[in-house]
Amino acid sequence: MEKATGTGLIRHLPVLLAAFLLSGCGLDTAPILNPKGPIAQAERDLLFTAIYVMMIVVIPVFILAFLFVWRYRASGGKGKYTPDWSYSAKIDALIWLVPALIVATLGYLLWTTTHKLDPYKQLASSEQAIEVHAIAQDWKWLFLYPEYGIASVNELAFPSERPLALKITSDTVMNSFMIPALGGQIYAMAGMTTRLHLIADEPGQFTGRNTMYSGNGFADQHFQTFAMTNEDFDTWVQKVRSGGTSLDAAAYAVLAEPSVAHSVEYYAQYKADLFETILAKYASRPAHTSQMADQ
Ligand SMILES: [Cu+2]
């Protein structure tokens, strides 16, 4: 029998450490670290740059912390014993100047990149963007394709050759729209419109989700995103048209009822002003609404 559980833990430390380190292999599938579009790529580069810049302080601090303990130890240390020492201008300058420079560098980087990656900014492309309206519900996402007159639930398809221009609102509490592999994140708010522009490098399947806690069904509120070739997308549109029902006012009322892990649904048609109707439901604060909805 082990007397103290503490020793048991320490004995297993190498195993625990190995398990922790080896779990890093799973990072291959982490979408933020493996971006599938230029926006996500730029965001990942910024994240890594910020980490490297911060290491300029973090690494010396850890090394020196151990070094000082060793050098100034009571038995056999080499450090000079100076109990009355209180101030060094050199050390003071170093420990304030370096972090100040880092904060300035990070500030500059974040400021410029934030403007460069403005989610409202249209993406440069030889292809015309595909417009999709996304509506957050409890606990699912409804996508309207105004160009094609079709709609889908919990499935977002678009051609990888074209930029994706999203117009987002909520028919419930505040949600947050994000497709980690493609980058960007923007809030979905009732009575307001937000925009997000994304682009996929090549065909692929990515998970999108609500990243803002919104109640019971939140954990299952994700959807599949399919970046397709132009031909596959045309086939998909045909599939939705032929297999879908009509999203009229009655059907919408049923869909808007809270449901968890809602299955994929297709609608061959919807009322053209559905997005505006949903926005108008929450128009009790007209100034804010019109200001944001016009963008
Ligand atoms: Cu708002």
Side-chain angles (χ1 to χ4, degrees):
M1 275 274 281
E2 276 166 355
K3 261 195 216 152
T5 42
T7 23
L9 249 182
I10 287 167
R11 193 191 300 163
H12 293 125
L13 203 64
V15 180
L16 290 172
L17 200 68
F20 173 75
L21 290 173
L22 289 173
S23 69
C25 300
L27 292 179
D28 287 349
T29 51
I32 300 225
L33 300 177
N34 294 281
K36 302 294 180 201
I39 304 284
Q41 177 78 50
E43 287 171 353
R44 188 192 69 169
D45 290 350
L46 176 65
L47 180 72
F48 283 173
T49 309
I51 290 172
Y52 297 148
V53 168
M54 287 186 284
M55 285 303 138
I56 294 172
V57 158
V58 174
I59 292 172
V61 163
F62 273 88
I63 293 174
L64 291 175
F66 287 104
L67 214 71
F68 287 165
V69 170
W70 180 252
R71 188 178 165 85
Y72 296 96
R73 68 192 188 278
S75 56
K78 277 198 180 135
K80 203 169 29 149
Y81 180 62
T82 50
D84 296 326
W85 180 86
S86 67
Y87 183 75
S88 157
K90 268 187 219 161
I91 292 175
D92 221 21
L94 188 76
I95 61 172
W96 284 105
L97 208 64
V98 174
L101 285 174
I102 287 174
V103 169
T105 309
L106 285 178
Y108 173 79
L109 269 176
L110 291 174
W111 179 273
T112 47
T113 320
T114 303
H115 283 274
K116 206 179 87 191
L117 299 176
D118 180 359
Y120 280 54
K121 206 159 84 178
Q122 284 179 23
L123 299 171
S125 169
S126 54
E127 302 291 327
Q128 197 211 340
I130 174 168
E131 177 103 6
V132 175
H133 298 172
I135 299 145
Q137 296 180 329
D138 287 331
W139 286 273
K140 56 200 164 276
W141 292 90
L142 170 65
F143 300 103
L144 310 177
Y145 294 75
E147 208 176 308
Y148 303 89
I150 56 170
S152 59
V153 175
N154 281 347
E155 187 171 291
L156 171 61
F158 68 102
S160 61
E161 284 88 348
R162 292 168 66 183
L164 174 66
L166 287 157
K167 206 162 123 178
I168 302 164
T169 193
S170 169
D171 194 8
T172 174
V173 296
M174 190 159 157
N175 276 229
S176 172
F177 182 98
M178 189 180 188
I179 305 167
L182 298 183
Q185 170 274 336
I186 198 116
Y187 292 106
M189 297 169 284
M192 289 174 239
T193 306
T194 47
R195 285 201 157 269
L196 181 63
H197 291 87
L198 299 171
I199 191 162
D201 282 334
E202 53 193 46
Q205 182 184 348
F206 329 107
T207 301
R209 56 179 309 133
N210 167 24
T211 59
M212 173 112 191
Y213 181 66
S214 60
N216 276 344
F218 163 78
D220 289 310
Q221 193 181 358
H222 30 71
F223 59 90
Q224 286 308 305
T225 306
F226 295 94
M228 299 169 158
T229 61
N230 274 320
E231 300 77 55
D232 285 351
F233 181 69
D234 289 340
T235 314
W236 184 83
V237 170
Q238 284 312 316
K239 186 173 82 177
V240 174
R241 276 220 179 100
S242 56
T245 53
S246 173
L247 186 58
D248 52 21
Y252 185 82
V254 173
L255 180 67
E257 286 288 314
S259 60
V260 177
H262 202 92
S263 55
V264 172
E265 269 190 77
Y266 296 140
Y267 296 99
Q269 61 205 58
Y270 67 90
K271 224 166 138 268
D273 62 353
L274 179 60
F275 192 85
E276 288 69 29
T277 310
I278 293 163
L279 269 181
K281 272 167 71 176
Y282 303 94
S284 54
R285 287 169 295 167
H288 194 176
T289 304
S290 57
Q291 196 185 20
M292 290 184 84
D294 287 345
Q295 302 211 18

